[in-house]
Amino acid sequence: MASLDFNAEKTAFRDFYDSNRDTLTGAVSSFNTLIRSLLLSQQDIALSSVDGRIKDREECVSKFTRKYRAALEESKTEYEIKEKITDVLGLRVVVLYEDDVERVRQAVLKEFDVLEITDKIAQVEGTESSFGYKGLHLDLKLNAVRAAMPEYRLYAPFSFELQIRTVVQDSWSIIDHKIKYKKSIPNTLKRRINTLAALFELADREFLAIRDATRAELDQTAEIYAEIEQETEATSEEVESEKETQRVESGPRFARLDAFNFLPIAQHFFPKFPFEEHKVDGFTQEITSRRRGLTRGRFNFYLRSNLSTVKRYQAELKAGGDTMNPYTIIRHCLYAGNHAAFASLLTDAARARFDEWLNADSGSSANVVKFGAAAEQAL
């Protein structure tokens, strides 16, 4: 029961905390799982981490004393400590980009009731000379629908604080909390801290700008497959007449293969496969390191010419219980097209098995398009 007796309220809070410790632990775990599941289902949110904690009991009492006690007692307002400490349960969502913060907010609003919002992003950006921690804090409770579900009913009475930050904001928060005597340090040091904070803010903006520019580049390359096909036709004529020279080393006529034009080619042949950006980048580098100067037309030619053969090989492996994902299929297409250049893309065992199958396959000589020995030497 609320009162102005600090010692009584402190004892009451400690009793509440100790008697509900197991339930509080379960609530944090349950809220964490729910929020993580909600965010992972949102494909447009670049999630880094979700974690939770129960605030230390005595830290809660200290926070109340520091922030609320004097004002409440001066105004003769009765209080309960547990009603003032809204972050006894705390969760933190860390995302990659600034615009993901708002997406997280919108996602959690569908499952929770908002008790209070503290927008530290708006507070900092609303001033001309202020730099520092930026993040969105929401005080939340389960909404009526979730609270009525059996698995959440026990935790329905508990509110919690959800902090939403970018990776950069989270890093600054950790560093900022370790800086001692921030209110008493000389102005020269304060200026240096503000400079660092501004650099962190700039980093957040630049990461977002780089992501958007990368997406724009990918959107543009997705429209050029017809152009790549034209380059492939020129490549086909060269291969058939074995006129390949060292030209690709000194400067190709056509664009070289990179991650941006790998995607439209790969998605053309494997439209239902989700090529992840970070894997595409590494895989493209692996390919181009084996064949310097490899053009996008040449790459497209290898796939177009050998995919049917490799898929027949895939079907036989599948019948025996083995599988091949698109990356593995591409490796085999490249090897089928140019043994000398791409042998190391396959393991010794995989290469030996594929070679054995090619030799045994009655149609392999007609269906596998590759360079002759002289042409491979030129490559």
Side-chain angles (χ1 to χ4, degrees):
M1 184 175 179
S3 72
L4 286 171
D5 186 337
F6 174 69
N7 288 327
E9 293 305 319
K10 181 168 60 174
T11 299
F13 175 78
R14 287 170 172 166
D15 291 342
F16 160 79
Y17 188 102
D18 292 342
S19 62
N20 287 280
R21 187 187 297 269
D22 290 342
T23 305
L24 292 170
T25 300
V28 166
S29 177
S30 181
F31 296 154
N32 187 315
T33 300
L34 174 56
I35 288 178
R36 181 184 296 274
S37 299
L38 288 172
L39 300 183
L40 288 175
S41 69
Q42 306 289 318
Q43 295 185 351
D44 60 344
I45 294 176
L47 182 65
S48 174
S49 64
V50 180
D51 55 58
R53 60 98 183 103
I54 304 175
K55 201 178 194 73
D56 177 75
R57 187 188 69 176
E58 296 309 306
E59 189 178 342
C60 292
V61 175
S62 297
K63 180 177 179 178
F64 173 82
T65 302
R66 185 174 64 254
K67 296 189 66 174
Y68 303 109
R69 181 183 175 186
L72 290 169
E73 292 182 353
E74 184 178 348
S75 63
K76 305 298 182 184
T77 302
E78 295 182 342
Y79 56 81
E80 288 183 274
I81 294 177
K82 69 178 182 179
E83 297 300 325
K84 292 295 180 181
I85 307 301
T86 57
D87 64 341
V88 175
L89 304 182
L91 274 76
R92 180 181 305 149
V93 170
V94 180
V95 294
L96 297 188
Y97 304 107
E98 282 188 303
D99 56 359
D100 288 323
V101 173
E102 180 58 28
R103 294 190 182 100
V104 172
R105 184 217 295 250
Q106 295 302 322
V108 300
L109 289 182
K110 298 175 182 177
E111 304 295 334
F112 297 93
D113 290 334
V114 178
L115 306 179
E116 186 176 354
I117 297 177
T118 304
D119 191 345
K120 295 181 180 291
I121 298 174
Q123 290 175 5
V124 171
E125 293 183 348
T127 61
E128 295 180 355
S129 58
S130 177
F131 300 97
Y133 168 66
K134 295 166 64 178
L136 181 66
H137 294 192
L138 308 176
D139 291 340
L140 304 171
K141 288 187 73 171
L142 290 169
N143 63 21
V145 175
R146 284 281 175 184
M149 296 180 182
E151 62 268 36
Y152 296 112
R153 195 172 298 148
L154 180 63
Y155 310 128
F158 298 108
S159 61
F160 66 97
E161 181 187 69
L162 176 65
Q163 299 179 356
I164 310 171
R165 308 170 176 173
T166 67
V167 172
V168 174
Q169 291 165 0
D170 190 52
S171 299
W172 174 254
S173 176
I174 294 170
I175 296 171
D176 189 50
H177 277 79
K178 297 298 182 181
I179 299 175
K180 297 180 179 180
Y181 313 115
K182 286 185 292 184
K183 295 182 179 180
S184 304
I185 60 177
N187 285 336
T188 54
L189 291 180
K190 288 182 180 179
R191 285 178 58 82
R192 292 171 68 179
I193 292 173
N194 283 344
T195 300
L196 279 174
L199 290 174
F200 272 72
E201 184 173 326
L202 179 62
D204 245 344
R205 293 180 182 178
E206 284 300 301
F207 281 129
L208 182 61
I210 291 170
R211 184 206 65 184
D212 290 344
T214 301
R215 287 180 176 177
E217 187 74 20
L218 289 172
D219 289 342
Q220 180 181 3
T221 56
E223 301 172 358
I224 63 171
Y225 187 74
E227 183 180 332
I228 294 174
E229 276 284 82
Q230 291 178 357
E231 295 178 14
T232 303
E233 292 302 324
T235 297
S236 302
E237 295 174 2
E238 291 174 352
V239 172
E240 290 170 3
S241 60
E242 292 193 357
K243 292 180 180 178
E244 184 67 16
T245 68
Q246 292 287 346
R247 182 188 60 251
V248 291
E249 299 295 345
S250 60
R253 291 186 298 148
F254 304 124
R256 293 185 178 183
L257 181 71
D258 59 26
F260 294 108
N261 48 50
F262 171 94
L263 269 177
I265 298 172
Q267 289 170 343
H268 173 79
F269 292 105
F270 308 97
K272 296 182 179 180
F273 185 77
F275 288 94
E276 299 177 65
E277 295 171 2
H278 67 282
K279 291 183 179 179
V280 165
D281 197 28
F283 187 59
T284 305
Q285 289 184 12
E286 185 180 358
I287 293 171
T288 55
S289 69
R290 267 69 173 184
R291 171 66 173 86
R292 288 187 174 277
L294 178 65
T295 65
R296 61 189 187 182
R298 175 78 64 194
F299 175 71
N300 187 62
F301 169 77
Y302 285 142
L303 266 61
R304 192 178 70 176
S305 302
N306 299 300
L307 187 59
S308 61
T309 298
V310 175
K311 283 196 170 182
R312 286 194 293 108
Y313 175 64
Q314 178 192 24
E316 293 197 18
L317 290 184
K318 186 176 181 180
D322 292 328
T323 61
M324 294 173 66
N325 65 31
Y327 289 109
T328 306
I329 293 173
I330 292 171
R331 290 176 187 274
H332 282 76
C333 286
L334 293 173
Y335 173 67
N338 190 330
H339 285 11
F342 298 113
S344 62
L345 284 179
L346 301 177
T347 65
D348 290 344
R351 190 169 58 251
R353 182 164 63 171
F354 188 40
D355 284 339
E356 183 180 359
W357 181 87
L358 288 175
N359 291 330
D361 182 55
S362 59
S364 63
S365 60
N367 290 309
V368 178
V369 180
K370 56 181 180 290
F371 296 129
E376 289 197 3
Q377 288 292 330
L379 291 174

